Amino acid sequence: MRKKIVAGNWKMNTTVAEGIELVNQIIAKIEEIPQQVQLIVNTPFTHLFPISKIIGDIKCPNCRSKLALGAQNCADKEKGAYTGEVAAQMLVSLSKAVGTVVGAPADAVGAPVEYVILGHSERRGYYGETNAILLEKIKQALAAGLKVIYCVGEALEDRKAGRHFDVVGEEIKEVLFALGEEDMKKITVAYEPIWAIGTGETATKEQAQEIHAFIRKSLAEKFGALAQQISILYGGSCKPSNAAELFSQPDIDGGLIGGAALKADDFIAIAKSF
Ligand code: 13P
């Protein structure tokens, strides 16, 4: 069975203190989340260290495995003179440093940074990240041992012109088709129509299912039966009131949540919508 995933993309929101409070509120309700659902919080870089420690400190083992930590970006280079960039290796090294914090037991290890979001339309649109750059980022992330949530999605003009399959198909083929099968097992795809992000407008369940099925069919062209095992998430104004109908679709395996992930109650309610 494919993994059910509800991932929060916090984007550039919350102070560190607010982020800590938010993750604590999520943890307080984590027992309500069905065991088969993987929750992920993808926080700003500045928040990863304290939140790694907090998630690492969750006592109940069943609850601990329900919540994973992720970043929202990584560099397309391994290391070196790239001012302002954060390497995938640095993200992976973070959890082991928790034991160096004053007051922590020397053997304390935080929750690993396990995931990274790459290909988000905000990165493509505002920061000029092309398919070629994203492929390099994905290679760095995978080489460091991270799993990748790879986002695809079309703009409103593309959908109106009926080009959405072409745009999404290209984002899949130019990037994911360059990976081998073992690497592909570490990829989760997120379909995020740009016109639905932060707009309150959501793709209908039929629109979303149609393109999720198309993504799976495209993946099958290259990866065969493995395509059936890849989780494909929907993102774009997903909220408690529409999550259940979206998640009931055969090719929708969960959500990548923006605004509603900033409220613990909404995030938890979405995760209970399967
Ligand atoms: P919203 O849920 O705020 O529309 O954002 C979706 C998104 O971009 C998640 O990555």
Side-chain angles (χ1 to χ4, degrees):
M1 206 177 73
R2 287 194 292 272
K3 213 174 194 177
K4 306 284 183 204
I5 296 176
V6 172
N9 175 7
W10 291 8
K11 308 193 181 183
M12 198 172 73
N13 292 299
T14 73
T15 62
V16 177
E18 287 164 351
I20 288 172
E21 191 182 339
L22 177 55
V23 86
N24 276 325
Q25 287 168 350
I26 294 167
I27 290 169
K29 300 216 165 158
I30 200 134
E31 279 182 71
E32 297 175 19
I33 305 300
Q35 201 60 45
Q36 81 276 15
V37 179
Q38 177 68 68
L39 275 189
I40 308 168
V41 285
N42 294 276
T43 80
F45 288 136
T46 43
H47 301 34
L48 289 168
F49 192 83
I51 292 179
S52 161
K53 175 157 183 357
I54 291 168
I55 297 177
D57 282 346
I58 295 176
K59 291 290 170 279
C60 133
N62 278 348
C63 306
R64 166 67 199 82
S65 61
K66 282 187 204 173
L67 183 58
L69 182 58
Q72 299 172 20
N73 191 16
C74 72
D76 58 342
K77 305 283 193 306
E78 192 184 340
K79 62 177 175 180
Y82 302 102
T83 302
E85 288 295 302
V86 173
Q89 286 286 1
M90 295 173 185
L91 296 172
V92 170
S93 72
L94 183 144
S95 64
K96 295 189 193 77
V98 164
T100 63
V101 171
V102 177
D107 60 349
V109 176
V113 178
E114 222 177 304
Y115 290 86
V116 62
I117 297 173
L118 294 171
H120 196 283
S121 57
E122 289 152 15
R123 300 289 323 168
R124 292 178 190 263
Y126 301 144
Y127 302 100
E129 294 188 1
T130 60
N131 285 339
I133 293 172
L134 290 165
L135 177 58
E136 292 311 307
K137 289 190 174 210
I138 290 178
K139 285 182 182 165
Q140 289 297 331
L142 294 172
L146 292 169
K147 296 174 196 149
V148 173
I149 300 174
Y150 175 64
C151 305
V152 297
E154 81 286 355
L156 187 57
E157 315 81 89
D158 294 319
R159 180 155 283 263
K160 281 190 176 152
R163 281 194 303 264
H164 45 297
F165 294 114
D166 294 340
V167 171
V168 169
E170 211 166 88
E171 288 173 339
I172 296 281
K173 287 181 185 155
E174 288 187 6
V175 179
L176 299 183
F177 278 23
L179 302 179
E181 200 166 306
E182 281 312 302
D183 280 343
M184 192 59 212
K185 289 182 185 163
K186 294 170 197 132
I187 308 280
T188 296
V189 177
Y191 167 66
E192 299 208 319
I194 300 171
W195 46 273
I197 296 176
T199 58
E201 193 163 337
T202 318
T204 64
K205 61 181 192 305
E206 291 82 9
Q207 285 173 321
Q209 166 56 26
E210 181 186 41
I211 200 143
H212 279 232
F214 167 79
I215 292 169
R216 198 174 306 287
K217 192 167 113 282
S218 306
L219 290 173
E221 278 173 33
K222 161 87 178 165
F223 298 103
L226 177 61
Q228 289 303 323
Q229 290 169 42
I230 309 285
S231 298
I232 306 177
L233 315 182
Y234 171 80
S237 299
C238 185
K239 47 189 179 248
S241 57
N242 59 23
E245 67 170 17
L246 287 162
F247 297 173
S248 68
Q249 299 303 302
D251 287 294
I252 301 183
D253 305 308
L256 180 56
I257 320 296
L262 297 171
K263 292 193 193 111
D265 285 346
D266 285 355
F267 190 54
I268 297 283
I270 291 169
K272 287 162 77 177
S273 300
F274 286 99

